[in-house]
Structures are given as C-alpha cells and as structure tokens.
Amino acid sequence: MKLRAVGALLVPLALLTAACDGASSAADAAGSVGGRTDGSGSTTLNVGDQKGGSEAVLRAAGELKHLPYKIKWSTFTSGPPLLEAVNAKAVDIGGVGNTPPVFAAAAGSRITVVAAAHASCAGDALVVPRDSPLKTAADLKGRSIAVAQGSSAHAQLVGSLAKAGLTPSDVRLDYLQPADALAAFTQHKVDAWAIWDPYTSQVLRQNKARILTTGEGVTNGLSFQVASPSALADKNKSAAIADYLKRLHKAQDWADTHPEQWAKVWAKDTGLDYAVALDSVKRTESSTVTVAVDDAAVASEQRLADAFARLKLIPHTFVFADYVDKRFNAGLPPSTTPPRTS
C-alpha cells in the first residue's frame, strides 16, 4: 500500500505528528503514533505502517484473525521516518514506496528489502492550483515545488523534471511532509506539489488542483516491505515475517477485487470522504500486484540510486542488491508483471 490537513482537508492525517504512547524513543523521534496490538503468542512483530495501509487492509480482509504471534502497530507520516525506526530496531518491518530505501541505504541505515508490489503510477502526480498559469512540467523552471524528501514523490518529481529537460537545480524544492505541504499548497506558498494518492485524489476531488504530469512512464511503480536485519536473523521473527507477508498478499488480492468495500474501510481509517477514497482505490490501490524482489526490481532501484547520486541528492551511490533478501520470493510473479486494470 502506498499511503500516504490542515483545516478540514485531512485532519486525521495531520494528527500523525502526535506523541506515541508506549513506543520507543527512537520510534518517537521518527514521528510514529502508537497503535493497537493483534494476535497472541510469545513472539511480537513490530510493524510500521501508514494510515490506511497494511493494518487497514489486513483487518478489512479478515487476515488478522488467528495470528499465532503478536503484531504491535506503529503509524508514520511517510516512508522515510518509518525506515528511521527500522534502522533503530524500533520496527521489525514496514511498507514504503520505491524511494525511501534508496535514501536510507545511502545513509548507511540497517535495512533489508524483503517484498515488493507493482502498482499504477497514475496517482503519483505533480499538481498545480487550478488557476495556475503552468501548463507543462517544463514551465516549472524557477518555480517552487513541495515534496517529501526521500519519498516516492521525490523520485517521480526528479523523473518528471528530467523528462522535461530540467534538473532539481532548475527549480526550488521545499522539503515538506504531506500535512505541511498541503498547507503550503492551499495557501499558494508553493507553485506545485509532488504527491501520491490519496492526496492526489483529495485535491482533485475538492477542485483545488489539476495534474501537470504523473509518474506514468517515469517511475517504476514499485513499493516495498522493508525489514530490520536483526528481525530477519531472529528465527521466530523471521517465521512471523513470512506469515505476515503471505497474509498481506491475500489481503491485497481481496482489496483489488472488492474496491467499494475497501474504499469504505479506507475512508473510515483515514478520515477521507468516501468519494475521495474510492477515487484513490480506482486510480491506484486496486491496481496493486504483489511481485518478487527479483533482479529486474533490483536493477530498477539501482538505476534510481545512481540517478539520485549523480544529482547529489544522496551522498553516494551503492549496491542496492546488498540491501535485498530474496528468501520470500517463492511463488510470486516477476516484478515486471503489469499492474491490474480496473
């Protein structure tokens, strides 16, 4: 799942900056909110999530029943702070987009990519206010753009600029987390916003924006489950991770074939209007296919890492394969499998 304010727009998501009760100080520093615990048993799997993400779809699909281990949930505003918690061993596994692992690995974080999914990039968008004079991505030269640093939107932005013959140095980047970016965008303090669903569906449905360009043909559409190496080295936690990934796969299949039901659950979990949730499900979420973390996925992420290094957006390049564990690939289709179409 790729999920990802002020005022009446997305108040529940803005609350993600609240303090975490019962989580570690490392998780607190990364911006988490403590959640509930499911299951029973002597093993506890600490799972990082985003609102309307893995917990919501697992619960909706009935995949949190009869867990032979415990899952303790923590919720984060986006992928980068979630991976800070993985690096700090406050989280054992969590779902993020295609770019947070690149930034985390480049910073020397202790993370391991263990699972992948492929989805439509139609919800990854560069949006501008409806009355903006900007018509194409090339018009962004010299303009200000809000983006969450190290997020999947960051990669989409860099790719869209390159396609238009621009580089990040040709624009002014304002690194803002979603709630702050939404405030800046609606108050016209930035000229554009690089976002993902459901923010794309939200601002479009509320007639506050129009799409300048999307990630289609620009970014790889991959998202990942990323685990702590220490959790993978633990026999009991590794077994729990294997089971968790299978349940997540089945839950995603359920969501893809029950878009209206999933949209209702998602709306309730995030505070989104049902219409916005359904738009996002149809545009992005119902297209998701669970795939293997194979050589093609690794090569695609390596190209992304190399591009970010060339642009000096990360300090250096690295071998992405060094941060991948393929033990959970069995029976999954290749990462090049096309997203589902509604």
Side-chain angles (χ1 to χ4, degrees):
M1 293 290 164
K2 289 195 294 185
L3 188 70
R4 324 4 117 250
V6 294
L9 290 178
L10 259 186
V11 173
L13 289 185
L15 295 178
L16 293 181
T17 56
C20 169
D21 63 334
S24 73
S25 59
D28 284 344
S32 75
V33 175
R36 70 187 86 192
T37 298
D38 289 286
S40 61
S42 59
T43 299
T44 298
L45 194 63
N46 296 297
V47 178
D49 196 18
Q50 297 178 52
K51 271 290 186 179
S54 299
E55 180 184 358
V57 73
L58 285 163
R59 198 173 303 284
E63 289 297 331
L64 291 179
K65 298 176 181 178
H66 311 300
L67 280 172
Y69 51 91
K70 294 177 183 176
I71 293 180
K72 181 175 175 57
W73 301 96
S74 295
T75 307
F76 295 80
T77 56
S78 63
L82 192 160
L83 292 191
E84 289 179 30
V86 172
N87 176 58
K89 301 181 183 179
V91 164
D92 296 317
I93 188 169
V96 299
N98 62 352
T99 311
V102 169
F103 273 73
S109 295
R110 296 174 294 278
I111 61 164
T112 303
V113 173
V114 294
H118 190 200
S120 167
C121 299
D124 297 327
L126 264 172
V127 298
V128 294
R130 285 185 61 82
D131 58 355
S132 171
L134 306 180
K135 302 299 181 185
T136 69
D139 296 333
L140 290 167
K141 187 172 183 178
R143 302 286 186 153
S144 58
I145 307 170
V147 63
Q149 185 176 25
S151 68
S152 58
H154 201 170
Q156 182 267 123
L157 171 60
V158 169
S160 294
L161 290 175
K163 191 174 181 180
L166 302 175
T167 69
S169 62
D170 292 317
V171 299
R172 301 195 308 275
L173 297 183
D174 285 350
Y175 291 126
L176 299 171
Q177 285 295 311
D180 292 333
L182 179 56
F185 182 78
T186 56
Q187 295 169 18
H188 295 277
K189 293 182 178 179
V190 293
D191 297 305
W193 185 17
I195 50 174
W196 59 90
D197 259 328
Y199 297 106
T200 304
S201 295
Q202 179 191 21
V203 293
L204 293 178
R205 170 66 66 167
Q206 296 177 344
N207 292 318
K208 295 184 179 295
R210 57 181 169 82
I211 291 177
L212 203 63
T213 185
T214 73
E216 296 284 13
V218 172
T219 188
N220 60 22
L222 294 173
S223 58
F224 298 105
Q225 291 291 322
V226 182
S228 163
S230 62
L232 292 170
D234 182 293
K235 181 180 178 180
N236 293 328
K237 287 200 173 188
S238 179
I241 287 172
D243 179 79
Y244 173 78
L245 293 176
K246 289 177 181 177
R247 289 173 185 264
L248 198 57
H249 184 184
K250 289 190 286 185
Q252 183 61 62
D253 285 345
W254 174 88
D256 291 345
T257 54
H258 298 80
E260 289 82 9
Q261 289 175 252
W262 172 224
K264 289 179 182 177
V265 172
W266 200 13
K268 182 178 180 180
D269 193 65
T270 61
L272 289 165
D273 289 340
Y274 172 71
V276 172
L278 186 59
D279 285 349
S280 186
V281 166
K282 290 182 176 180
R283 179 180 286 111
T284 305
E285 297 298 329
S286 63
S287 71
T288 305
V289 178
T290 304
V291 296
V293 189
D294 55 16
D295 290 346
V298 171
S300 181
E301 289 295 295
Q302 185 67 59
R303 289 191 293 271
L304 185 60
D306 292 345
F308 272 97
R310 284 196 302 272
L311 293 168
K312 301 188 184 305
L313 294 172
I314 57 174
H316 55 80
T317 193
F318 57 90
V319 179
F320 191 82
D322 291 345
Y323 294 85
V324 172
D325 188 327
K326 298 181 178 180
R327 75 176 78 172
F328 306 109
N329 276 349
L332 294 176
S335 63
T336 52
T337 302
R340 290 183 172 94
T341 56
S342 57

